[in-house]
Each structure stands twice: as structure tokens, then as C-alpha cells.
Amino acid sequence: PDLPYPSLASLTDSLTASLQRHPPRAANEAELQAILWTHLQAIDRRTVREHPLTRADRIDFLLGRVGIEVKVKGPSAEVTRQLWRYADSPQIDGLLLVTTRREHLRVIGESATFRDKPVRTLCIADYLL
């Protein structure tokens, strides 16, 4: 398949740089999503929030064909199952998990492949104020 636009790597790098410059101050997942929305809009105004992939699945953000999921809690197995479902979508060419839990990074890794689609994990625990 064609590479997602923007590329998953460039999106991850841009978001990381933005979060390092302006660390988020969030008490819960809803607040973190609102802050990330601002960062993502600054990167690319075409970012869509709460994009439906199926009747049951709605990804937090979609930019081009890159899906972005935000997690502040939840067991790694549950998050992994959710990402596998999202990777099943023909609308998705790559996934970025933005998490506050180092456990997710340890289980999924910084870079993985689900259904032949790249998955990156960005653990922002160190950026949070």
C-alpha cells in the first residue's frame, strides 16, 4: 500500500517535538485529547476527531490515513486488541498510539506491525506537567 500521508514517522516526530515544546497539563483522557487536538491541528488542519471506522469503532483522531488513539489507562491487552481492530480498517494505513502508560510501550513496543500496517507508540509520560 501507499505510505500514509503524512507519514507515520513524520507525524510522530512532529507531535513529539510539539509536546516537548508545550508539555500538556491534563487530569484525564478527555483533557489530554483536547490538548492533543490543538497540537494535531497545528501540525495539519485536516485532522478529524472521533472518526468512525465501523459502527462499533471510533478512532480518536484521523489524519489522512493515519489513525491516532489516545490512552491514559487500560490494560495493554485491551489496548492491543483495539489497535488490531483499527488495523483491520481499510481507512487506516498506519496507527499511532499516544499513551501516558509506559506499560503500553513495553508491551506494544515503540514500533510494530499489525495486519501489515505500521504502528508507532508515543509514550508522553515524561512530557506531562
Side-chain angles (χ1 to χ4, degrees), residues 11-32:
L11 175 60
T12 304
D13 291 345
S14 296
L15 187 55
T16 300
S18 182
L19 291 167
Q20 286 172 336
R21 284 191 306 276
H22 306 285
R25 190 181 295 259
N28 56 48
E29 190 167 312
E31 286 182 15
L32 182 56

Side-chain angles (χ1 to χ4, degrees), residues 75-125:
S76 292
E78 183 181 308
V79 172
T80 302
R81 280 192 301 274
Q82 186 176 18
L83 293 173
W84 275 99
R85 283 196 323 270
Y86 291 170
D88 278 335
S89 172
Q91 298 176 54
I92 298 288
D93 287 341
L95 288 163
L96 174 60
L97 171 65
V98 179
T99 182
T100 60
R101 305 219 33 220
R102 287 183 181 86
E103 175 192 339
H104 295 157
L105 185 59
R106 282 193 300 272
V107 172
I108 298 169
E110 193 172 297
S111 182
T113 304
F114 292 8
R115 310 266 192 254
D116 294 324
K117 297 176 183 180
V119 178
R120 303 270 313 253
T121 304
L122 173 56
C123 183
I124 62 169

Side-chain angles (χ1 to χ4, degrees), residues 43-56:
I43 293 167
D44 194 317
R45 308 267 317 150
R46 295 171 294 174
T47 304
V48 177
R49 254 186 122 158
E50 296 294 326
H51 182 79
L53 298 175
T54 66
R55 286 184 182 193

